[in-house]
Coordinates of all heavy atoms in Angstrom, one line a residue:
K1 N -10.6 4.3 -15.6 CA -11.6 4.9 -14.8 C -11.8 4.1 -13.5 O -12.1 4.7 -12.5 CB -12.9 5.0 -15.6 CG -12.9 6.1 -16.7 CD -14.2 6.2 -17.4 CE -14.1 7.2 -18.5 NZ -15.3 7.4 -19.2
I2 N -11.8 2.8 -13.6 CA -12.1 1.9 -12.5 C -11.0 2.1 -11.4 O -11.3 2.2 -10.2 CB -12.1 0.4 -12.9 CG1 -13.4 0.2 -13.7 CG2 -12.1 -0.5 -11.7 CD1 -13.5 -1.2 -14.3
V3 N -9.7 2.3 -11.8 CA -8.7 2.5 -10.9 C -8.8 3.8 -10.2 O -8.5 3.9 -9.0 CB -7.3 2.2 -11.5 CG1 -6.9 3.4 -12.4 CG2 -6.2 2.0 -10.5
D4 N -9.3 4.8 -10.9 CA -9.5 6.1 -10.2 C -10.6 6.0 -9.2 O -10.6 6.6 -8.1 CB -9.9 7.2 -11.3 CG -8.7 7.6 -12.1 OD1 -7.6 7.8 -11.6 OD2 -8.9 7.7 -13.4
E5 N -11.7 5.3 -9.5 CA -12.8 5.1 -8.6 C -12.3 4.3 -7.3 O -12.7 4.6 -6.2 CB -13.9 4.3 -9.3 CG -14.6 5.1 -10.3 CD -15.6 4.3 -11.1 OE1 -16.0 3.2 -10.7 OE2 -16.1 4.8 -12.2
L6 N -11.4 3.3 -7.5 CA -10.9 2.6 -6.4 C -10.1 3.5 -5.5 O -10.2 3.4 -4.3 CB -10.0 1.4 -6.9 CG -9.3 0.6 -5.9 CD1 -10.3 -0.1 -4.9 CD2 -8.5 -0.5 -6.5
R7 N -9.2 4.3 -6.1 CA -8.4 5.2 -5.3 C -9.3 6.2 -4.5 O -9.1 6.4 -3.3 CB -7.5 6.0 -6.2 CG -6.5 6.9 -5.4 CD -5.6 7.7 -6.2 NE -6.4 8.8 -6.8 CZ -5.9 10.0 -7.1 NH1 -4.6 10.3 -6.8 NH2 -6.6 11.0 -7.6
N8 N -10.3 6.7 -5.2 CA -11.3 7.6 -4.5 C -12.0 6.9 -3.4 O -12.2 7.5 -2.3 CB -12.2 8.3 -5.5 CG -11.5 9.2 -6.4 OD1 -10.5 9.8 -6.1 ND2 -12.1 9.4 -7.6
R9 N -12.4 5.7 -3.6 CA -13.1 4.9 -2.5 C -12.1 4.7 -1.3 O -12.6 4.8 -0.2 CB -13.5 3.6 -3.1 CG -14.3 2.8 -2.1 CD -15.7 3.4 -1.8 NE -16.4 2.6 -0.9 CZ -16.9 3.0 0.2 NH1 -17.0 4.3 0.5 NH2 -17.5 2.2 1.1
I10 N -10.9 4.4 -1.6 CA -9.9 4.3 -0.5 C -9.8 5.6 0.3 O -9.9 5.5 1.6 CB -8.5 3.9 -1.0 CG1 -8.5 2.5 -1.6 CG2 -7.4 4.0 0.1 CD1 -7.3 2.1 -2.4
Y11 N -9.8 6.7 -0.4 CA -9.7 8.0 0.3 C -11.0 8.2 1.2 O -10.9 8.7 2.3 CB -9.6 9.1 -0.7 CG -8.3 9.2 -1.3 CD1 -8.1 9.9 -2.5 CD2 -7.1 8.7 -0.8 CE1 -6.9 10.1 -3.2 CE2 -5.9 8.8 -1.4 CZ -5.8 9.5 -2.6 OH -4.6 9.6 -3.2
E12 N -12.1 7.8 0.6 CA -13.4 7.9 1.4 C -13.4 7.1 2.6 O -13.8 7.5 3.7 CB -14.6 7.5 0.5 CG -15.0 8.5 -0.6 CD -16.1 8.0 -1.5 OE1 -16.9 7.1 -1.0 OE2 -16.2 8.5 -2.6
V13 N -13.0 5.8 2.5 CA -13.0 4.9 3.6 C -12.0 5.4 4.7 O -12.4 5.3 5.9 CB -12.7 3.5 3.1 CG1 -12.4 2.5 4.3 CG2 -13.8 2.9 2.3
K14 N -10.9 5.8 4.3 CA -9.9 6.2 5.2 C -10.1 7.6 5.7 O -9.4 8.1 6.7 CB -8.5 6.1 4.6 CG -8.0 4.7 4.4 CD -7.9 4.0 5.7 CE -7.2 2.6 5.5 NZ -7.0 2.0 6.8
N15 N -11.0 8.4 5.1 CA -11.3 9.7 5.4 C -10.1 10.7 5.4 O -9.9 11.6 6.2 CB -12.0 9.8 6.8 CG -12.7 11.1 7.0 OD1 -13.2 11.7 6.0 ND2 -12.8 11.5 8.2
T16 N -9.2 10.4 4.5 CA -8.0 11.2 4.3 C -7.4 10.9 2.9 O -7.6 9.8 2.4 CB -6.9 10.9 5.4 OG1 -5.8 11.8 5.2 CG2 -6.4 9.5 5.4
R17 N -6.6 11.8 2.4 CA -5.8 11.6 1.2 C -4.4 11.4 1.5 O -3.5 11.2 0.7 CB -6.0 12.8 0.2 CG -7.4 12.9 -0.4 CD -7.4 14.0 -1.4 NE -8.7 13.9 -2.1 CZ -8.9 13.3 -3.3 NH1 -7.9 12.7 -3.9 NH2 -10.1 13.3 -3.8
D18 N -4.1 11.4 2.8 CA -2.7 11.1 3.3 C -2.5 9.6 3.4 O -2.3 9.1 4.6 CB -2.5 11.9 4.6 CG -1.0 11.7 5.1 OD1 -0.1 11.5 4.3 OD2 -0.8 11.8 6.3
I19 N -2.5 9.0 2.3 CA -2.3 7.5 2.3 C -1.2 7.2 1.3 O -1.4 7.6 0.1 CB -3.6 6.8 2.0 CG1 -4.6 7.2 3.0 CG2 -3.4 5.3 1.8 CD1 -5.8 6.3 3.2
P20 N -0.2 6.4 1.6 CA 0.8 6.0 0.6 C 0.2 5.0 -0.4 O -0.5 4.1 0.0 CB 1.9 5.3 1.4 CG 1.2 4.9 2.7 CD 0.1 5.8 2.9
I21 N 0.4 5.3 -1.7 CA -0.1 4.4 -2.7 C 1.0 4.1 -3.7 O 1.8 5.0 -4.0 CB -1.2 5.1 -3.5 CG1 -2.5 5.3 -2.6 CG2 -1.6 4.4 -4.8 CD1 -3.6 6.0 -3.3
I22 N 1.1 2.8 -4.1 CA 2.0 2.4 -5.1 C 1.1 1.7 -6.2 O 0.3 0.8 -5.8 CB 3.0 1.4 -4.6 CG1 3.9 2.0 -3.6 CG2 3.8 0.8 -5.8 CD1 4.9 1.0 -2.9
L23 N 1.2 2.2 -7.4 CA 0.4 1.7 -8.5 C 1.2 0.5 -9.0 O 2.3 0.6 -9.5 CB 0.1 2.7 -9.5 CG -0.8 2.3 -10.7 CD1 -2.2 1.9 -10.2 CD2 -0.9 3.5 -11.7
V24 N 0.6 -0.7 -9.0 CA 1.2 -1.9 -9.4 C 0.5 -2.5 -10.6 O -0.6 -2.8 -10.6 CB 1.2 -3.0 -8.3 CG1 1.9 -4.2 -8.7 CG2 1.9 -2.4 -7.0
G25 N 1.3 -2.6 -11.7 CA 0.8 -3.3 -12.9 C 1.2 -4.8 -12.8 O 2.3 -5.1 -12.6
T26 N 0.2 -5.6 -13.0 CA 0.4 -7.1 -12.8 C 0.5 -7.7 -14.2 O 0.3 -7.1 -15.2 CB -0.7 -7.7 -12.0 OG1 -2.0 -7.5 -12.7 CG2 -0.8 -7.1 -10.6
Q27 N 0.9 -9.0 -14.1 CA 1.1 -9.8 -15.3 C 2.0 -9.2 -16.3 O 1.8 -9.2 -17.5 CB -0.3 -10.1 -15.9 CG -1.2 -10.9 -14.9 CD -2.6 -11.2 -15.5 OE1 -3.1 -10.6 -16.4 NE2 -3.2 -12.2 -14.9
K28 N 3.1 -8.7 -15.8 CA 4.2 -8.1 -16.7 C 4.6 -9.0 -17.8 O 5.0 -8.6 -18.9 CB 5.4 -7.7 -15.8 CG 6.5 -7.0 -16.6 CD 7.6 -6.7 -15.6 CE 8.7 -6.1 -16.5 NZ 10.0 -6.0 -15.7
D29 N 4.5 -10.3 -17.5 CA 5.0 -11.3 -18.5 C 4.1 -11.4 -19.7 O 4.5 -12.0 -20.8 CB 5.1 -12.7 -17.8 CG 3.9 -13.1 -17.1 OD1 3.6 -12.5 -16.1 OD2 3.2 -14.0 -17.6
L30 N 2.9 -10.9 -19.7 CA 1.9 -11.1 -20.7 C 1.9 -9.8 -21.6 O 0.9 -9.1 -21.8 CB 0.5 -11.3 -20.2 CG 0.3 -12.6 -19.3 CD1 -1.1 -12.6 -18.8 CD2 0.7 -13.8 -20.1
T31 N 3.1 -9.5 -22.2 CA 3.2 -8.3 -23.0 C 2.3 -8.2 -24.2 O 1.9 -7.1 -24.5 CB 4.7 -8.1 -23.4 OG1 5.1 -9.3 -24.2 CG2 5.6 -7.9 -22.2
T32 N 2.0 -9.3 -24.8 CA 1.2 -9.2 -26.0 C -0.3 -9.2 -25.7 O -1.1 -8.9 -26.6 CB 1.4 -10.4 -26.9 OG1 1.1 -11.6 -26.2 CG2 2.9 -10.4 -27.4
E33 N -0.7 -9.4 -24.4 CA -2.1 -9.5 -24.0 C -2.5 -8.3 -23.1 O -3.5 -8.3 -22.5 CB -2.4 -10.8 -23.3 CG -2.1 -12.0 -24.2 CD -2.2 -13.3 -23.4 OE1 -3.0 -13.4 -22.5 OE2 -1.4 -14.2 -23.8
R34 N -1.7 -7.2 -23.1 CA -1.9 -6.1 -22.3 C -3.2 -5.3 -22.6 O -3.6 -5.2 -23.8 CB -0.8 -5.1 -22.4 CG 0.5 -5.5 -21.9 CD 1.5 -4.4 -22.1 NE 2.7 -4.8 -21.4 CZ 3.0 -4.4 -20.2 NH1 2.3 -3.5 -19.6 NH2 4.1 -4.8 -19.6
V35 N -3.8 -4.8 -21.6 CA -4.9 -3.9 -21.7 C -4.4 -2.5 -21.5 O -4.9 -1.6 -22.1 CB -6.1 -4.3 -20.7 CG1 -7.2 -3.3 -20.8 CG2 -6.6 -5.7 -21.0
I36 N -3.5 -2.4 -20.5 CA -2.9 -1.1 -20.2 C -1.4 -1.2 -20.5 O -0.7 -2.1 -20.0 CB -3.1 -0.8 -18.7 CG1 -4.6 -0.8 -18.3 CG2 -2.5 0.6 -18.3 CD1 -5.4 0.3 -18.8
S37 N -0.9 -0.2 -21.2 CA 0.6 -0.2 -21.5 C 1.4 0.3 -20.3 O 0.8 0.9 -19.4 CB 0.9 0.7 -22.7 OG 0.7 2.1 -22.3
R38 N 2.6 0.0 -20.3 CA 3.5 0.5 -19.2 C 3.5 2.0 -19.2 O 3.4 2.6 -18.1 CB 4.9 0.0 -19.5 CG 5.9 0.4 -18.3 CD 7.3 0.0 -18.6 NE 8.2 0.2 -17.5 CZ 8.2 1.0 -16.5 NH1 7.3 1.9 -16.4 NH2 9.2 1.1 -15.6
D39 N 3.5 2.6 -20.4 CA 3.5 4.1 -20.4 C 2.2 4.6 -19.8 O 2.2 5.6 -19.1 CB 3.6 4.6 -21.8 CG 5.0 4.4 -22.4 OD1 5.9 4.3 -21.6 OD2 5.1 4.5 -23.6
Q40 N 1.0 4.0 -20.0 CA -0.2 4.4 -19.4 C -0.2 4.3 -17.9 O -0.7 5.2 -17.2 CB -1.4 3.6 -20.0 CG -1.7 4.0 -21.4 CD -2.8 3.0 -22.0 OE1 -2.6 1.8 -21.9 NE2 -3.8 3.6 -22.5
G41 N 0.4 3.2 -17.4 CA 0.6 3.0 -16.0 C 1.4 4.1 -15.4 O 1.1 4.6 -14.3
Q42 N 2.5 4.3 -16.0 CA 3.5 5.4 -15.5 C 2.8 6.8 -15.6 O 3.0 7.5 -14.6 CB 4.8 5.4 -16.4 CG 5.8 6.3 -15.8 CD 6.2 6.0 -14.4 OE1 6.7 4.9 -14.1 NE2 6.0 6.9 -13.5
Q43 N 2.0 7.0 -16.6 CA 1.3 8.3 -16.7 C 0.3 8.5 -15.5 O 0.2 9.5 -14.9 CB 0.6 8.5 -18.0 CG 1.5 8.7 -19.2 CD 0.8 8.7 -20.5 OE1 -0.4 8.5 -20.6 NE2 1.6 8.9 -21.6
K44 N -0.4 7.4 -15.2 CA -1.4 7.4 -14.1 C -0.6 7.7 -12.8 O -1.1 8.4 -12.0 CB -2.2 6.1 -14.1 CG -3.2 6.1 -13.0 CD -4.3 7.2 -13.1 CE -5.2 7.0 -14.3 NZ -6.2 8.1 -14.3
A45 N 0.5 7.0 -12.6 CA 1.3 7.2 -11.4 C 1.8 8.6 -11.3 O 1.8 9.2 -10.2 CB 2.4 6.2 -11.3
T46 N 2.2 9.2 -12.4 CA 2.7 10.6 -12.4 C 1.5 11.5 -12.0 O 1.7 12.4 -11.2 CB 3.2 10.9 -13.7 OG1 4.4 10.1 -14.0 CG2 3.7 12.4 -13.8
Q47 N 0.3 11.2 -12.6 CA -0.9 12.0 -12.3 C -1.2 11.9 -10.8 O -1.6 12.9 -10.2 CB -2.0 11.5 -13.1 CG -3.3 12.2 -12.8 CD -4.5 11.5 -13.6 OE1 -4.3 10.6 -14.4 NE2 -5.7 11.9 -13.2
W48 N -1.1 10.7 -10.2 CA -1.4 10.5 -8.8 C -0.3 10.9 -7.9 O -0.4 10.9 -6.7 CB -1.7 9.1 -8.6 CG -3.0 8.6 -9.1 CD1 -4.0 9.3 -9.8 CD2 -3.6 7.3 -9.0 NE1 -5.0 8.5 -10.1 CE2 -4.8 7.3 -9.6 CE3 -3.1 6.1 -8.4 CZ2 -5.6 6.1 -9.6 CZ3 -3.9 5.0 -8.4 CH2 -5.1 5.0 -9.0
E49 N 0.9 11.2 -8.4 CA 2.1 11.5 -7.7 C 2.5 10.3 -6.7 O 2.7 10.5 -5.5 CB 1.9 12.8 -6.9 CG 1.7 14.0 -7.7 CD 1.5 15.3 -7.0 OE1 1.4 15.2 -5.7 OE2 1.4 16.3 -7.6
C50 N 2.5 9.1 -7.4 CA 2.9 7.9 -6.6 C 3.9 7.1 -7.4 O 4.1 7.4 -8.6 CB 1.7 7.1 -6.2 SG 0.9 6.3 -7.6
E51 N 4.4 6.1 -6.8 CA 5.4 5.2 -7.5 C 4.6 4.2 -8.4 O 3.4 3.9 -8.1 CB 6.2 4.4 -6.5 CG 7.0 5.2 -5.6 CD 8.2 5.8 -6.3 OE1 8.7 5.2 -7.3 OE2 8.6 6.9 -5.9
F52 N 5.3 3.7 -9.4 CA 4.7 2.7 -10.3 C 5.7 1.6 -10.5 O 6.9 1.8 -10.7 CB 4.3 3.3 -11.7 CG 3.9 2.3 -12.7 CD1 2.6 1.7 -12.6 CD2 4.7 2.0 -13.8 CE1 2.2 0.8 -13.5 CE2 4.3 1.1 -14.7 CZ 3.0 0.5 -14.6
I53 N 5.2 0.4 -10.5 CA 6.0 -0.8 -10.8 C 5.2 -1.8 -11.5 O 4.0 -2.0 -11.2 CB 6.7 -1.3 -9.6 CG1 7.8 -2.4 -9.9 CG2 5.7 -1.9 -8.6 CD1 8.7 -2.7 -8.8
E54 N 5.8 -2.6 -12.4 CA 5.1 -3.7 -13.0 C 5.7 -5.0 -12.5 O 7.0 -5.1 -12.3 CB 5.3 -3.7 -14.6 CG 4.5 -2.6 -15.3 CD 4.6 -2.8 -16.8 OE1 5.7 -3.0 -17.3 OE2 3.5 -2.8 -17.4
V55 N 4.9 -6.0 -12.2 CA 5.4 -7.2 -11.6 C 4.8 -8.4 -12.4 O 3.8 -8.3 -13.1 CB 5.0 -7.3 -10.1 CG1 5.6 -6.2 -9.3 CG2 3.5 -7.4 -9.9
S56 N 5.4 -9.5 -12.2 CA 4.9 -10.8 -12.7 C 4.9 -11.9 -11.6 O 6.0 -12.2 -11.1 CB 5.7 -11.3 -13.9 OG 5.3 -12.6 -14.2
A57 N 3.8 -12.4 -11.2 CA 3.8 -13.5 -10.2 C 4.3 -14.8 -10.9 O 4.9 -15.6 -10.2 CB 2.4 -13.7 -9.7
L58 N 4.1 -14.9 -12.2 CA 4.5 -16.1 -12.9 C 6.0 -16.2 -12.9 O 6.6 -17.3 -12.6 CB 4.0 -16.1 -14.3 CG 4.4 -17.3 -15.2 CD1 3.7 -18.6 -14.7 CD2 3.9 -17.1 -16.7
T59 N 6.7 -15.1 -13.2 CA 8.2 -15.2 -13.3 C 8.9 -14.6 -12.1 O 10.1 -14.6 -12.0 CB 8.6 -14.4 -14.6 OG1 8.3 -13.0 -14.4 CG2 8.0 -14.9 -15.9
S60 N 8.1 -14.0 -11.2 CA 8.6 -13.3 -10.0 C 9.3 -12.0 -10.3 O 10.0 -11.5 -9.5 CB 9.5 -14.3 -9.1 OG 8.8 -15.4 -8.7
D61 N 9.2 -11.6 -11.5 CA 9.9 -10.4 -11.9 C 9.4 -9.2 -11.2 O 8.2 -8.9 -11.1 CB 9.7 -10.1 -13.5 CG 10.6 -9.1 -14.0 OD1 11.7 -8.8 -13.4 OD2 10.3 -8.5 -15.1
N62 N 10.3 -8.4 -10.5 CA 10.0 -7.2 -9.8 C 9.3 -7.4 -8.5 O 8.9 -6.4 -7.9 CB 9.3 -6.2 -10.7 CG 10.3 -5.4 -11.5 OD1 11.5 -5.4 -11.3 ND2 9.8 -4.6 -12.4
L63 N 9.0 -8.6 -8.1 CA 8.3 -8.8 -6.8 C 9.1 -8.3 -5.6 O 8.6 -7.6 -4.8 CB 7.9 -10.3 -6.6 CG 6.8 -10.8 -7.5 CD1 6.5 -12.3 -7.2 CD2 5.5 -10.0 -7.4
A64 N 10.4 -8.7 -5.6 CA 11.2 -8.2 -4.5 C 11.3 -6.7 -4.5 O 11.3 -6.0 -3.5 CB 12.6 -8.8 -4.6
A65 N 11.5 -6.1 -5.7 CA 11.6 -4.6 -5.8 C 10.3 -4.0 -5.3 O 10.3 -2.9 -4.7 CB 11.8 -4.3 -7.3
M66 N 9.1 -4.6 -5.6 CA 7.9 -4.0 -5.1 C 7.8 -4.0 -3.6 O 7.5 -3.0 -3.0 CB 6.7 -4.8 -5.6 CG 5.3 -4.3 -5.2 SD 3.9 -5.3 -5.6 CE 4.3 -6.8 -4.6
F67 N 8.2 -5.1 -3.0 CA 8.3 -5.1 -1.5 C 9.3 -4.1 -0.9 O 9.1 -3.5 0.1 CB 8.5 -6.5 -1.0 CG 7.2 -7.3 -1.0 CD1 7.1 -8.3 -2.0 CD2 6.2 -7.1 -0.1 CE1 5.9 -9.0 -2.1 CE2 5.0 -7.9 -0.2 CZ 4.9 -8.8 -1.2
E68 N 10.4 -3.9 -1.7 CA 11.4 -2.9 -1.2 C 10.8 -1.5 -1.3 O 11.2 -0.6 -0.6 CB 12.6 -3.1 -2.1 CG 13.4 -4.3 -1.7 CD 14.6 -4.5 -2.7 OE1 14.9 -3.7 -3.5 OE2 15.2 -5.6 -2.6
M69 N 9.8 -1.3 -2.2 CA 9.1 0.0 -2.3 C 8.1 0.1 -1.1 O 7.9 1.2 -0.6 CB 8.4 0.1 -3.6 CG 9.4 0.3 -4.8 SD 8.5 0.1 -6.4 CE 7.7 1.7 -6.5
V70 N 7.4 -1.0 -0.8 CA 6.3 -1.0 0.1 C 6.8 -0.8 1.5 O 6.2 0.0 2.3 CB 5.5 -2.3 0.0 CG1 4.5 -2.4 1.2 CG2 4.7 -2.3 -1.3
V71 N 7.8 -1.5 1.9 CA 8.3 -1.4 3.3 C 8.6 0.0 3.8 O 8.1 0.4 4.9 CB 9.4 -2.4 3.6 CG1 10.1 -2.3 4.9 CG2 8.9 -3.9 3.4
P72 N 9.4 0.8 3.1 CA 9.7 2.1 3.6 C 8.4 3.0 3.7 O 8.3 3.8 4.6 CB 10.7 2.7 2.6 CG 11.3 1.5 1.9 CD 10.2 0.4 1.9
L73 N 7.5 2.8 2.7 CA 6.3 3.6 2.8 C 5.5 3.2 4.0 O 4.9 4.0 4.7 CB 5.5 3.4 1.5 CG 5.9 4.2 0.3 CD1 5.0 3.8 -0.9 CD2 5.7 5.7 0.6
Y74 N 5.4 1.9 4.2 CA 4.7 1.4 5.4 C 5.2 1.9 6.7 O 4.5 2.4 7.6 CB 4.7 -0.1 5.4 CG 3.9 -0.8 6.5 CD1 2.5 -1.0 6.3 CD2 4.4 -1.1 7.7 CE1 1.7 -1.6 7.3 CE2 3.7 -1.6 8.7 CZ 2.3 -1.9 8.5 OH 1.6 -2.5 9.5
Q75 N 6.6 1.8 6.8 CA 7.2 2.3 8.0 C 7.0 3.8 8.2 O 6.8 4.3 9.3 CB 8.7 2.0 8.0 CG 9.0 0.5 8.1 CD 10.5 0.2 8.0 OE1 11.2 0.8 7.2 NE2 10.9 -0.8 8.7
K76 N 7.1 4.6 7.1 CA 6.9 6.0 7.2 C 5.5 6.4 7.6 O 5.3 7.2 8.5 CB 7.3 6.6 5.8 CG 7.1 8.1 5.8 CD 7.4 8.7 4.4 CE 7.2 10.2 4.4 NZ 7.4 10.8 3.1
Y77 N 4.5 5.7 7.0 CA 3.2 6.0 7.3 C 2.7 5.4 8.6 O 2.0 6.1 9.4 CB 2.3 5.5 6.2 CG 0.8 6.0 6.3 CD1 0.4 7.3 6.1 CD2 -0.1 5.1 6.8 CE1 -0.9 7.7 6.2 CE2 -1.5 5.5 7.0 CZ -1.8 6.8 6.7 OH -3.1 7.2 6.9
F78 N 3.0 4.2 8.9 CA 2.4 3.5 10.1 C 3.4 3.4 11.2 O 3.0 3.1 12.3 CB 2.0 2.1 9.7 CG 0.8 2.1 8.7 CD1 1.0 1.7 7.4 CD2 -0.5 2.4 9.2 CE1 -0.1 1.7 6.5 CE2 -1.5 2.4 8.3 CZ -1.3 2.0 7.0
G79 N 4.7 3.5 11.0 CA 5.7 3.2 12.0 C 5.5 3.8 13.3 O 5.3 3.1 14.3
D80 N 5.4 5.1 13.4 CA 5.3 5.8 14.7 C 3.9 5.5 15.3 O 3.8 5.3 16.5 CB 5.4 7.3 14.5 CG 6.9 7.7 14.2 OD1 7.8 6.9 14.5 OD2 7.1 8.8 13.7
K81 N 2.9 5.4 14.4 CA 1.5 5.1 14.9 C 1.5 3.7 15.6 O 0.9 3.6 16.6 CB 0.5 5.2 13.8 CG 0.3 6.6 13.2 CD -0.7 6.5 12.1 CE -0.7 7.9 11.4 NZ -1.6 7.9 10.3
I82 N 2.1 2.7 15.0 CA 2.1 1.4 15.5 C 2.8 1.3 16.8 O 2.3 0.8 17.8 CB 2.7 0.4 14.5 CG1 1.7 0.2 13.3 CG2 3.0 -0.9 15.2 CD1 2.3 -0.7 12.2
V83 N 4.0 2.0 16.9 CA 4.7 2.0 18.2 C 3.9 2.7 19.2 O 3.8 2.2 20.4 CB 6.1 2.7 17.9 CG1 6.8 2.9 19.3 CG2 7.0 1.9 17.0
Q84 N 3.4 3.9 19.0 CA 2.6 4.6 19.9 C 1.4 3.8 20.4 O 1.0 3.8 21.6 CB 2.2 6.0 19.4 CG 3.4 6.9 19.2 CD 4.1 7.2 20.5 OE1 3.5 7.3 21.6 NE2 5.4 7.2 20.4
D85 N 0.7 3.2 19.4 CA -0.5 2.4 19.8 C -0.1 1.2 20.7 O -0.8 0.9 21.6 CB -1.2 1.9 18.5 CG -1.9 3.0 17.8 OD1 -2.1 4.1 18.3 OD2 -2.4 2.7 16.6
S86 N 1.0 0.6 20.4 CA 1.4 -0.6 21.2 C 1.7 -0.1 22.6 O 1.4 -0.8 23.6 CB 2.7 -1.2 20.5 OG 3.1 -2.2 21.3
I87 N 2.4 1.0 22.7 CA 2.8 1.5 24.1 C 1.5 1.9 24.8 O 1.3 1.5 26.0 CB 3.7 2.8 23.9 CG1 5.1 2.3 23.4 CG2 3.8 3.5 25.3 CD1 6.0 3.5 23.0
Q88 N 0.6 2.6 24.2 CA -0.7 2.9 24.8 C -1.5 1.7 25.2 O -2.0 1.7 26.3 CB -1.5 3.8 23.8 CG -2.7 4.5 24.5 CD -2.3 5.4 25.6 OE1 -1.2 6.1 25.5 NE2 -3.1 5.6 26.6
N89 N -1.5 0.7 24.4 CA -2.2 -0.6 24.8 C -1.6 -1.2 26.0 O -2.3 -1.7 26.8 CB -2.2 -1.5 23.6 CG -3.2 -1.1 22.5 OD1 -4.1 -0.4 22.7 ND2 -3.0 -1.7 21.3
Q90 N -0.3 -1.2 26.1 CA 0.4 -1.8 27.2 C 0.1 -1.0 28.5 O -0.1 -1.6 29.6 CB 2.0 -1.8 27.0 CG 2.4 -2.7 26.0 CD 2.2 -4.2 26.4 OE1 2.2 -4.5 27.6 NE2 2.0 -5.0 25.4
I91 N 0.0 0.3 28.4 CA -0.3 1.2 29.6 C -1.7 0.9 30.0 O -2.0 0.8 31.2 CB -0.1 2.6 29.2 CG1 1.4 2.9 29.0 CG2 -0.7 3.6 30.3 CD1 1.7 4.3 28.4
Q92 N -2.7 0.8 29.1 CA -4.1 0.7 29.4 C -4.5 -0.7 29.8 O -5.5 -0.9 30.4 CB -5.0 1.2 28.3 CG -4.8 2.7 28.0 CD -5.6 3.1 26.8 OE1 -6.1 2.3 26.1 NE2 -5.7 4.4 26.7
S93 N -3.7 -1.7 29.4 CA -4.2 -3.1 29.6 C -3.8 -3.6 30.9 O -2.6 -3.5 31.4 CB -3.5 -4.0 28.5 OG -3.8 -5.3 28.7
P94 N -4.8 -4.2 31.7 CA -4.4 -4.8 32.9 C -3.7 -6.1 32.7 O -3.9 -6.8 31.7 CB -5.8 -5.0 33.6 CG -6.7 -5.2 32.4 CD -6.2 -4.3 31.3
G95 N -2.8 -6.5 33.6 CA -2.2 -7.8 33.5 C -0.8 -7.8 32.9 O -0.2 -6.7 32.7
C96 N -0.4 -9.0 32.5 CA 1.0 -9.1 32.0 C 1.3 -8.6 30.6 O 2.4 -8.3 30.3 CB 1.5 -10.6 32.1 SG 0.6 -11.7 31.0
C97 N 0.2 -8.6 29.8 CA 0.4 -8.1 28.4 C -0.9 -7.6 27.9 O -2.0 -7.9 28.5 CB 1.0 -9.2 27.5 SG -0.1 -10.6 27.2
S98 N -0.9 -7.0 26.7 CA -2.1 -6.4 26.1 C -3.0 -7.5 25.5 O -4.1 -7.2 25.2 CB -1.7 -5.4 25.1 OG -1.0 -5.9 24.1
F99 N -2.4 -8.7 25.3 CA -3.2 -9.7 24.7 C -4.0 -10.6 25.6 O -5.2 -10.8 25.4 CB -2.3 -10.7 23.9 CG -1.6 -10.0 22.8 CD1 -0.2 -9.7 22.8 CD2 -2.2 -9.5 21.6 CE1 0.4 -9.0 21.8 CE2 -1.6 -8.9 20.6 CZ -0.2 -8.6 20.7
C100 N -3.4 -10.9 26.7 CA -4.1 -11.8 27.7 C -5.0 -11.1 28.7 O -5.9 -11.6 29.2 CB -3.2 -12.8 28.3 SG -2.0 -12.0 29.5
G101 N -4.5 -9.9 29.1 CA -5.3 -9.2 30.1 C -5.3 -9.8 31.5 O -6.1 -9.5 32.3
E102 N -4.3 -10.7 31.7 CA -4.2 -11.4 33.0 C -3.0 -10.9 33.7 O -2.1 -10.2 33.1 CB -4.2 -12.9 32.8 CG -5.4 -13.4 32.1 CD -5.3 -14.9 31.7 OE1 -4.3 -15.5 32.0 OE2 -6.3 -15.4 31.1
D103 N -2.8 -11.3 34.9 CA -1.7 -10.8 35.7 C -0.4 -11.6 35.5 O 0.6 -11.3 36.0 CB -2.0 -10.6 37.2 CG -2.4 -12.0 37.8 OD1 -2.3 -13.0 37.1 OD2 -2.9 -12.0 39.0
G104 N -0.5 -12.7 34.7 CA 0.6 -13.5 34.5 C 0.9 -14.6 35.5 O 1.8 -15.4 35.3
D105 N 0.1 -14.7 36.6 CA 0.4 -15.7 37.6 C -0.3 -17.0 37.2 O -1.3 -17.1 36.6 CB -0.2 -15.2 38.9 CG 0.7 -14.1 39.4 OD1 1.8 -14.0 39.0 OD2 0.1 -13.3 40.3

């Protein structure tokens, strides 16, 4: 229930449901101490229509795979927006760059 509330809160804050989500199960290495099974995590991801992966920071298991999932989603969702925002900032900013706002002399 808490994870559903968190997802709903993200939707409220972002004011959209068009947000890429990856459900990540942590502490994959602690199989005997699980609160949520892998099947339960996968079922929730299926319900949400998102990707699911289990990772372990202790053993680094699936960490690289998780980032390989995140990067394309990030690029798909933010890619064009970031490029367009950067271009717009350059056009609107006086000076040599959008950061300093000076003429560069």
